[in-house]
Amino acid sequence: MIDIIIPCYNSHKTIDRCLASIVTQNKECTVTLVNDGGENYSDIIKRYPLNIREIGYNENKGVGYARNYGLEQTSNEMIMFMDSDDALSNVFTLSMLEKEMGDSTILISNFLEEIKPNEITVHSKDTSFLHGKLYRREYLDKHNILFNNTKCNEDVGFNILSLLLTQNEKVSFSDFISYYWLYNENSIVRKDNYAYLHRDSIIGFAENMLWVFQELEKRNVDNTRILMEKVSVMYRLFHLLKRTDNTPYRNICLEPIRRYFKSIYRPIEQSITEDILKAVNEALPTDKKEFKQFIGSLRR
């Protein structure tokens, strides 16, 4: 059976469409609303003939903490995470995902993002967001995989850690569109004139990548795949920082990037081969001269 874990913080205006998309499923599941320190949902829960419960605590601690709390308080074989303002794609979503999961450890399906009303984009083979993914609890427990307790990009940290720890385990990709990331003008990503994209998401990404590689060190896991990911993250941070040009956020974003450089990238520089650089640059085309200048600026 599948556990669906949904962090909620005063999500009363959007939770109905989320639960409505679950109640129509032709597959039984368990739904856990993790109340992250807001008003309760008892009146809403009564309306749905679901195996649903609300758990929580009094202080707003962020979605990373809420998802960890949900993981600790649930026990089904498979786990799906949803946001309280999103929805499953159709009545067959859970049965289709469980079928395609097979003997896999992680299943990554496609999802739709509503960028603005009536404007849709499709995310295929995405390894960053939690949307449209199914995780086997046995694997998460085996490696003690939890979320970093940050409020930004903790989903990216969780996914990258989960994928880098796979060795003999199977990770599957599905073309099935299972999830709708629905437009919400008051969401964290979109509020304050998208300040999240130019500040919080960049800081969160740098902090979570630092956390991921520290977690891997604790587990004594190191290989070429991890080395390549460390380089790839440095390239992505370079591109993300360029997004802050002509904004007041550049300096504040630069600090966690410097920490990543000093703690993760600088110690591996002598191990980075031309083949690794070529592979990373093909995946994320980067001006070599600009990147070299960027690295030089971080050494100061």
Coordinates of all heavy atoms in Angstrom, one line a residue, residues 72-146:
E72 N 8.2 9.4 9.8 CA 8.3 8.7 11.1 C 7.0 8.1 11.6 O 7.0 7.1 12.3 CB 8.9 9.7 12.2 CG 10.3 10.1 11.9 CD 10.8 11.2 12.8 OE1 9.9 11.7 13.6 OE2 11.9 11.7 12.6
Q73 N 5.9 8.8 11.2 CA 4.6 8.4 11.7 C 3.8 7.5 10.7 O 2.6 7.2 11.0 CB 3.8 9.7 12.0 CG 4.4 10.6 13.0 CD 4.5 10.0 14.4 OE1 3.7 9.3 14.8 NE2 5.7 10.3 15.0
T74 N 4.4 7.0 9.7 CA 3.7 6.2 8.7 C 4.5 4.9 8.5 O 5.7 4.8 9.0 CB 3.6 6.9 7.4 OG1 4.9 7.3 6.9 CG2 2.6 8.1 7.5
S75 N 3.9 3.9 7.9 CA 4.6 2.6 7.8 C 4.4 1.8 6.6 O 4.9 0.6 6.4 CB 4.2 1.7 9.0 OG 2.8 1.6 9.0
N76 N 3.6 2.3 5.6 CA 3.4 1.5 4.4 C 4.6 1.3 3.5 O 5.6 2.0 3.7 CB 2.3 2.2 3.5 CG 0.9 1.9 4.1 OD1 0.6 0.9 4.8 ND2 0.0 2.9 3.9
E77 N 4.5 0.3 2.6 CA 5.7 -0.1 1.9 C 6.2 0.9 0.9 O 7.4 1.1 0.7 CB 5.3 -1.4 1.1 CG 6.4 -1.9 0.1 CD 5.9 -3.0 -0.8 OE1 4.7 -3.3 -0.8 OE2 6.7 -3.5 -1.5
M78 N 5.3 1.7 0.3 CA 5.7 2.7 -0.6 C 5.2 4.1 -0.2 O 4.2 4.2 0.5 CB 5.1 2.4 -2.0 CG 5.9 1.3 -2.7 SD 5.1 0.7 -4.2 CE 3.7 -0.2 -3.6
I79 N 6.0 5.1 -0.6 CA 5.7 6.5 -0.1 C 5.6 7.5 -1.3 O 6.5 7.4 -2.2 CB 6.9 7.0 0.8 CG1 7.0 6.1 2.0 CG2 6.7 8.4 1.2 CD1 8.4 6.1 2.7
M80 N 4.6 8.3 -1.3 CA 4.5 9.4 -2.2 C 4.4 10.7 -1.4 O 3.7 10.7 -0.4 CB 3.3 9.2 -3.1 CG 3.0 10.5 -4.0 SD 1.5 10.3 -5.0 CE 2.2 9.6 -6.4
F81 N 5.0 11.8 -1.9 CA 4.8 13.1 -1.3 C 4.0 14.0 -2.2 O 4.2 14.0 -3.4 CB 6.2 13.8 -1.0 CG 7.1 13.0 -0.1 CD1 8.1 12.2 -0.6 CD2 6.9 13.1 1.3 CE1 8.9 11.4 0.3 CE2 7.7 12.3 2.1 CZ 8.7 11.5 1.6
M82 N 3.1 14.7 -1.6 CA 2.3 15.7 -2.4 C 2.4 17.0 -1.7 O 2.5 17.1 -0.5 CB 0.9 15.3 -2.5 CG 0.7 14.1 -3.4 SD -1.1 13.7 -3.7 CE -1.6 15.1 -4.8
D83 N 2.2 18.1 -2.4 CA 2.0 19.4 -1.9 C 0.5 19.7 -1.8 O -0.3 19.2 -2.6 CB 2.7 20.5 -2.7 CG 4.2 20.5 -2.7 OD1 4.7 19.9 -1.7 OD2 4.8 21.0 -3.5
S84 N 0.1 20.5 -0.8 CA -1.3 20.6 -0.5 C -2.1 21.4 -1.5 O -3.3 21.5 -1.5 CB -1.4 21.3 0.9 OG -0.8 22.6 0.9
D85 N -1.4 22.0 -2.5 CA -2.1 22.8 -3.5 C -2.0 22.1 -4.9 O -2.2 22.8 -5.9 CB -1.6 24.2 -3.6 CG -0.1 24.3 -3.7 OD1 0.6 23.3 -3.7 OD2 0.5 25.5 -3.8
D86 N -1.6 20.8 -4.9 CA -1.5 20.1 -6.2 C -2.5 19.0 -6.3 O -3.3 18.8 -5.4 CB 0.0 19.6 -6.3 CG 1.0 20.7 -6.4 OD1 0.6 21.8 -6.8 OD2 2.2 20.4 -6.1
A87 N -2.4 18.2 -7.3 CA -3.4 17.1 -7.5 C -2.7 15.9 -8.3 O -1.8 16.1 -9.1 CB -4.6 17.6 -8.3
L88 N -3.3 14.7 -8.1 CA -3.0 13.6 -8.9 C -3.7 13.7 -10.3 O -4.7 14.4 -10.4 CB -3.4 12.3 -8.3 CG -2.7 12.0 -6.9 CD1 -3.2 10.7 -6.3 CD2 -1.2 12.0 -7.0
S89 N -3.1 13.2 -11.3 CA -3.6 13.4 -12.7 C -4.9 12.8 -13.0 O -5.7 13.4 -13.7 CB -2.5 13.0 -13.7 OG -2.3 11.6 -13.6
N90 N -5.1 11.6 -12.6 CA -6.4 10.9 -12.9 C -6.7 9.8 -12.0 O -5.9 9.5 -11.1 CB -6.5 10.5 -14.4 CG -5.4 9.4 -14.7 OD1 -5.4 8.4 -14.0 ND2 -4.6 9.6 -15.7
V91 N -7.8 9.1 -12.2 CA -8.3 8.1 -11.2 C -7.4 6.9 -11.2 O -7.4 6.1 -10.2 CB -9.7 7.7 -11.5 CG1 -10.7 8.8 -11.3 CG2 -9.9 7.0 -12.9
F92 N -6.5 6.7 -12.2 CA -5.7 5.5 -12.2 C -4.3 5.7 -11.8 O -3.4 4.9 -11.9 CB -5.7 4.9 -13.7 CG -7.0 4.6 -14.2 CD1 -7.6 5.4 -15.2 CD2 -7.8 3.6 -13.7 CE1 -8.9 5.2 -15.7 CE2 -9.0 3.3 -14.2 CZ -9.6 4.1 -15.2
T93 N -4.0 6.9 -11.3 CA -2.6 7.3 -11.0 C -1.9 6.4 -10.1 O -0.8 5.8 -10.4 CB -2.5 8.8 -10.5 OG1 -2.9 9.7 -11.5 CG2 -1.1 9.1 -10.0
L94 N -2.5 6.1 -8.9 CA -1.8 5.3 -7.9 C -1.6 3.8 -8.4 O -0.6 3.2 -8.2 CB -2.6 5.3 -6.6 CG -2.6 6.6 -5.9 CD1 -3.3 6.5 -4.5 CD2 -1.2 7.2 -5.7
S95 N -2.7 3.3 -9.1 CA -2.5 1.9 -9.5 C -1.5 1.8 -10.7 O -0.7 0.8 -10.7 CB -3.9 1.4 -10.0 OG -4.4 2.2 -11.0
M96 N -1.4 2.8 -11.5 CA -0.4 2.9 -12.6 C 1.0 3.0 -12.0 O 1.9 2.3 -12.5 CB -0.7 4.0 -13.5 CG 0.3 4.1 -14.7 SD 0.2 2.7 -15.8 CE -1.3 3.1 -16.8
L97 N 1.2 3.9 -11.0 CA 2.5 4.0 -10.4 C 2.9 2.7 -9.7 O 4.1 2.3 -9.9 CB 2.5 5.2 -9.5 CG 2.4 6.6 -10.1 CD1 2.4 7.6 -9.0 CD2 3.5 6.9 -11.1
E98 N 2.0 2.1 -9.0 CA 2.4 0.9 -8.3 C 2.8 -0.2 -9.3 O 3.7 -1.0 -9.1 CB 1.2 0.4 -7.4 CG 1.6 -0.7 -6.5 CD 0.5 -1.1 -5.5 OE1 -0.6 -1.4 -6.0 OE2 0.8 -1.0 -4.3
K99 N 2.0 -0.3 -10.4 CA 2.3 -1.3 -11.4 C 3.7 -1.0 -12.0 O 4.5 -2.0 -12.2 CB 1.2 -1.3 -12.5 CG 1.5 -2.2 -13.7 CD 0.4 -2.1 -14.7 CE 0.7 -3.0 -15.9 NZ -0.3 -2.8 -17.0
E100 N 4.0 0.2 -12.4 CA 5.2 0.5 -13.0 C 6.4 0.5 -12.1 O 7.6 0.4 -12.5 CB 5.1 1.9 -13.7 CG 4.1 1.9 -14.8 CD 4.4 3.0 -15.9 OE1 5.4 3.6 -15.8 OE2 3.6 3.1 -16.8
M101 N 6.1 0.7 -10.8 CA 7.2 0.6 -9.7 C 7.8 -0.8 -9.8 O 9.1 -0.9 -9.7 CB 6.6 0.8 -8.4 CG 7.6 0.8 -7.2 SD 8.6 2.3 -7.2 CE 9.1 2.3 -5.5
G102 N 7.0 -1.9 -9.9 CA 7.6 -3.2 -10.0 C 8.5 -3.5 -8.8 O 8.2 -3.3 -7.6
D103 N 9.7 -3.9 -9.1 CA 10.7 -4.2 -8.1 C 11.7 -3.0 -7.9 O 12.8 -3.2 -7.4 CB 11.5 -5.5 -8.4 CG 12.2 -5.4 -9.7 OD1 12.0 -4.4 -10.5 OD2 13.0 -6.4 -10.0
S104 N 11.4 -1.9 -8.4 CA 12.2 -0.7 -8.3 C 12.3 -0.1 -6.9 O 11.4 -0.3 -6.1 CB 11.8 0.4 -9.3 OG 11.8 0.0 -10.6
T105 N 13.4 0.6 -6.7 CA 13.5 1.3 -5.4 C 12.9 2.7 -5.5 O 12.3 3.1 -4.5 CB 15.0 1.5 -5.1 OG1 15.6 0.2 -4.9 CG2 15.3 2.3 -3.9
I106 N 13.0 3.3 -6.6 CA 12.5 4.7 -6.9 C 11.9 4.7 -8.2 O 12.5 4.2 -9.2 CB 13.5 5.8 -6.8 CG1 14.2 5.8 -5.4 CG2 12.9 7.2 -7.0 CD1 15.4 6.7 -5.3
L107 N 10.6 5.2 -8.4 CA 10.0 5.4 -9.7 C 9.9 6.9 -9.9 O 9.3 7.6 -9.0 CB 8.6 4.7 -9.7 CG 7.8 5.0 -11.0 CD1 8.5 4.3 -12.2 CD2 6.4 4.5 -10.8
I108 N 10.3 7.3 -11.1 CA 10.2 8.8 -11.4 C 9.3 8.9 -12.7 O 9.7 8.4 -13.8 CB 11.6 9.3 -11.8 CG1 12.5 9.2 -10.5 CG2 11.5 10.8 -12.2 CD1 14.0 9.6 -10.8
S109 N 8.1 9.5 -12.5 CA 7.2 9.6 -13.6 C 7.2 11.1 -14.0 O 7.8 12.0 -13.4 CB 5.8 9.1 -13.2 OG 5.3 10.0 -12.2
N110 N 6.5 11.4 -15.1 CA 6.3 12.8 -15.6 C 5.3 13.5 -14.8 O 4.4 13.0 -14.2 CB 6.0 12.8 -17.0 CG 7.1 12.2 -17.9 OD1 8.2 12.0 -17.5 ND2 6.8 12.0 -19.2
F111 N 5.4 14.9 -14.8 CA 4.4 15.7 -14.2 C 4.2 17.0 -15.0 O 5.1 17.4 -15.7 CB 4.7 16.0 -12.7 CG 5.9 16.8 -12.4 CD1 5.8 18.2 -12.3 CD2 7.1 16.2 -12.2 CE1 7.0 18.9 -12.1 CE2 8.3 16.9 -12.0 CZ 8.2 18.3 -11.9
L112 N 3.0 17.6 -14.8 CA 2.7 18.8 -15.5 C 2.9 20.0 -14.5 O 2.5 19.8 -13.3 CB 1.3 18.8 -16.0 CG 0.9 17.9 -17.1 CD1 -0.5 18.1 -17.5 CD2 1.8 18.0 -18.3
E113 N 3.4 21.1 -15.0 CA 3.5 22.3 -14.1 C 2.6 23.4 -14.8 O 2.8 23.7 -16.0 CB 4.9 22.8 -14.0 CG 5.0 24.1 -13.2 CD 6.4 24.7 -13.2 OE1 7.3 24.1 -13.8 OE2 6.6 25.8 -12.5
E114 N 1.7 23.9 -14.0 CA 0.9 25.1 -14.5 C 1.7 26.3 -14.2 O 1.6 26.8 -13.0 CB -0.5 25.1 -13.9 CG -1.4 26.1 -14.4 CD -2.8 26.0 -13.7 OE1 -2.9 25.6 -12.6 OE2 -3.8 26.5 -14.4
I115 N 2.4 26.9 -15.1 CA 3.3 28.0 -14.9 C 2.5 29.3 -14.5 O 2.8 30.0 -13.6 CB 4.2 28.3 -16.1 CG1 5.0 27.1 -16.4 CG2 5.1 29.5 -15.9 CD1 5.8 27.2 -17.7
K116 N 1.4 29.4 -15.2 CA 0.4 30.5 -15.0 C -0.9 29.9 -15.5 O -0.9 28.9 -16.2 CB 0.8 31.8 -15.7 CG 1.0 31.7 -17.2 CD 1.3 33.0 -17.8 CE 2.7 33.4 -17.5 NZ 3.2 34.6 -18.3
P117 N -2.0 30.6 -15.1 CA -3.3 30.0 -15.6 C -3.3 29.7 -17.1 O -3.0 30.6 -17.9 CB -4.3 31.1 -15.2 CG -3.7 31.8 -14.0 CD -2.2 31.7 -14.3
N118 N -3.6 28.5 -17.4 CA -3.8 28.0 -18.8 C -2.4 27.9 -19.6 O -2.4 27.8 -20.8 CB -4.7 28.9 -19.6 CG -6.1 28.9 -19.0 OD1 -6.6 27.9 -18.6 ND2 -6.7 30.1 -18.9
E119 N -1.3 27.9 -18.9 CA 0.0 27.7 -19.5 C 0.7 26.6 -18.8 O 1.0 26.7 -17.6 CB 0.8 29.0 -19.4 CG 2.2 28.9 -20.2 CD 2.9 30.2 -20.2 OE1 2.3 31.2 -20.2 OE2 4.2 30.1 -20.3
I120 N 0.9 25.5 -19.6 CA 1.4 24.2 -19.0 C 2.8 23.9 -19.6 O 3.0 24.1 -20.8 CB 0.4 23.1 -19.3 CG1 -1.0 23.4 -18.7 CG2 0.9 21.8 -18.7 CD1 -1.1 23.5 -17.2
T121 N 3.6 23.3 -18.8 CA 4.9 22.6 -19.3 C 5.0 21.3 -18.7 O 4.5 21.0 -17.6 CB 6.1 23.5 -18.9 OG1 7.2 23.0 -19.6 CG2 6.3 23.5 -17.4
V122 N 5.6 20.4 -19.4 CA 5.8 19.0 -18.9 C 7.2 18.8 -18.4 O 8.2 19.1 -19.1 CB 5.5 18.0 -20.1 CG1 5.7 16.5 -19.6 CG2 4.1 18.2 -20.6
H123 N 7.3 18.2 -17.3 CA 8.6 17.8 -16.7 C 8.8 16.3 -16.9 O 8.0 15.5 -16.4 CB 8.7 18.1 -15.2 CG 8.7 19.6 -14.9 ND1 9.8 20.3 -14.7 CD2 7.7 20.5 -14.8 CE1 9.5 21.6 -14.4 NE2 8.2 21.7 -14.5
S124 N 9.9 15.9 -17.6 CA 10.1 14.5 -17.9 C 11.5 14.1 -17.3 O 12.5 14.8 -17.4 CB 10.2 14.3 -19.5 OG 10.5 13.0 -19.8
K125 N 11.5 12.9 -16.7 CA 12.7 12.4 -16.1 C 13.4 13.4 -15.1 O 14.6 13.5 -15.0 CB 13.7 11.9 -17.2 CG 13.2 10.8 -18.0 CD 14.2 10.3 -19.0 CE 13.6 9.1 -19.8 NZ 14.6 8.5 -20.7
D126 N 12.5 14.1 -14.4 CA 13.0 15.1 -13.5 C 13.5 14.4 -12.2 O 12.9 13.5 -11.6 CB 11.9 16.0 -13.1 CG 12.2 16.9 -11.9 OD1 12.9 17.9 -12.1 OD2 11.8 16.5 -10.8
T127 N 14.7 14.8 -11.7 CA 15.3 14.2 -10.5 C 15.4 15.2 -9.4 O 16.1 15.0 -8.4 CB 16.7 13.6 -10.8 OG1 17.5 14.6 -11.4 CG2 16.6 12.5 -11.8
S128 N 14.8 16.4 -9.5 CA 14.9 17.4 -8.5 C 13.6 17.5 -7.6 O 13.7 17.3 -6.4 CB 15.1 18.8 -9.2 OG 16.3 18.8 -9.9
F129 N 12.5 17.6 -8.2 CA 11.2 17.8 -7.4 C 10.7 16.4 -6.9 O 11.1 15.4 -7.5 CB 10.2 18.5 -8.3 CG 10.5 19.8 -8.8 CD1 10.9 20.1 -10.0 CD2 10.4 20.9 -7.9 CE1 11.3 21.4 -10.5 CE2 10.7 22.2 -8.3 CZ 11.1 22.4 -9.6
L130 N 9.9 16.5 -5.9 CA 9.3 15.3 -5.4 C 8.1 14.8 -6.2 O 7.6 13.7 -6.1 CB 8.8 15.5 -4.0 CG 9.8 15.8 -2.9 CD1 9.2 16.2 -1.6 CD2 10.8 14.6 -2.7
H131 N 7.6 15.7 -7.1 CA 6.3 15.5 -7.8 C 6.4 14.2 -8.7 O 7.4 14.0 -9.4 CB 6.0 16.6 -8.7 CG 6.0 18.0 -8.0 ND1 5.7 18.1 -6.7 CD2 6.2 19.2 -8.5 CE1 5.8 19.4 -6.3 NE2 6.1 20.1 -7.4
G132 N 5.4 13.4 -8.6 CA 5.3 12.2 -9.5 C 6.3 11.1 -9.2 O 6.6 10.3 -10.0
K133 N 6.8 11.0 -7.9 CA 7.8 10.0 -7.6 C 7.2 9.1 -6.5 O 6.4 9.5 -5.6 CB 9.1 10.7 -7.1 CG 9.7 11.4 -8.2 CD 10.9 12.2 -7.8 CE 11.6 12.9 -8.9 NZ 10.7 13.9 -9.7
L134 N 7.7 7.8 -6.6 CA 7.3 6.8 -5.6 C 8.6 6.2 -5.0 O 9.5 5.9 -5.8 CB 6.5 5.7 -6.3 CG 5.5 4.9 -5.5 CD1 4.5 5.8 -4.8 CD2 4.8 3.9 -6.3
Y135 N 8.7 6.1 -3.7 CA 9.9 5.6 -3.0 C 9.5 4.4 -2.2 O 8.5 4.3 -1.6 CB 10.4 6.7 -2.1 CG 10.6 8.1 -2.7 CD1 9.6 9.0 -2.8 CD2 11.9 8.4 -3.2 CE1 9.9 10.2 -3.4 CE2 12.1 9.6 -3.8 CZ 11.1 10.5 -3.9 OH 11.3 11.8 -4.5
R136 N 10.4 3.4 -2.2 CA 10.3 2.3 -1.4 C 10.8 2.5 0.0 O 12.0 2.9 0.2 CB 10.9 1.1 -2.0 CG 10.4 -0.3 -1.5 CD 11.0 -1.4 -2.3 NE 10.5 -1.4 -3.7 CZ 9.3 -1.9 -4.1 NH1 8.5 -2.4 -3.2 NH2 8.9 -1.8 -5.3
R137 N 10.0 2.4 1.0 CA 10.3 2.7 2.4 C 11.6 1.9 2.9 O 12.4 2.4 3.6 CB 9.2 2.5 3.3 CG 9.5 2.9 4.8 CD 8.3 2.6 5.7 NE 7.1 3.3 5.3 CZ 6.9 4.6 5.7 NH1 7.8 5.2 6.5 NH2 5.8 5.2 5.3
E138 N 11.6 0.6 2.5 CA 12.7 -0.2 2.9 C 14.1 0.4 2.5 O 15.0 0.3 3.3 CB 12.6 -1.6 2.3 CG 13.7 -2.6 2.7 CD 13.5 -3.9 2.0 OE1 12.8 -4.0 1.0 OE2 14.1 -4.9 2.5
Y139 N 14.1 1.0 1.3 CA 15.4 1.6 0.9 C 15.7 2.9 1.7 O 16.9 3.1 2.1 CB 15.3 2.0 -0.6 CG 16.4 2.8 -1.2 CD1 17.6 2.1 -1.4 CD2 16.3 4.1 -1.5 CE1 18.7 2.9 -1.9 CE2 17.3 4.8 -2.0 CZ 18.6 4.2 -2.1 OH 19.6 4.9 -2.6
L140 N 14.7 3.7 1.9 CA 14.9 4.9 2.7 C 15.4 4.6 4.1 O 16.3 5.2 4.6 CB 13.7 5.8 2.7 CG 13.1 6.3 1.4 CD1 11.9 7.2 1.6 CD2 14.2 7.1 0.6
D141 N 14.8 3.6 4.7 CA 15.1 3.2 6.1 C 16.5 2.6 6.1 O 17.3 2.8 7.0 CB 14.1 2.1 6.6 CG 12.8 2.7 6.9 OD1 12.7 4.0 7.0 OD2 11.8 2.0 7.1
K142 N 16.9 1.8 5.1 CA 18.2 1.1 5.0 C 19.3 2.1 5.0 O 20.3 1.9 5.7 CB 18.3 0.3 3.7 CG 19.6 -0.4 3.5 CD 19.6 -1.1 2.1 CE 21.0 -1.6 1.8 NZ 21.0 -2.2 0.4
H143 N 19.1 3.2 4.3 CA 20.2 4.2 4.2 C 19.9 5.5 5.1 O 20.7 6.4 5.0 CB 20.3 4.7 2.8 CG 20.9 3.6 1.9 ND1 22.2 3.2 1.9 CD2 20.3 2.8 0.9 CE1 22.4 2.3 1.0 NE2 21.2 2.0 0.4
N144 N 18.9 5.4 5.9 CA 18.5 6.5 6.8 C 18.4 7.8 6.1 O 19.0 8.8 6.4 CB 19.6 6.6 8.0 CG 19.1 7.6 9.0 OD1 17.9 7.8 9.3 ND2 20.1 8.2 9.7
I145 N 17.6 7.8 5.0 CA 17.5 8.9 4.1 C 16.3 9.7 4.6 O 15.1 9.3 4.7 CB 17.2 8.5 2.7 CG1 18.4 7.7 2.2 CG2 17.0 9.8 1.8 CD1 18.2 7.1 0.8
L146 N 16.6 11.0 5.0 CA 15.5 11.9 5.5 C 15.8 13.2 4.8 O 16.7 13.4 4.0 CB 15.6 12.1 7.0 CG 15.3 10.9 7.9 CD1 15.6 11.1 9.3 CD2 13.8 10.6 7.8

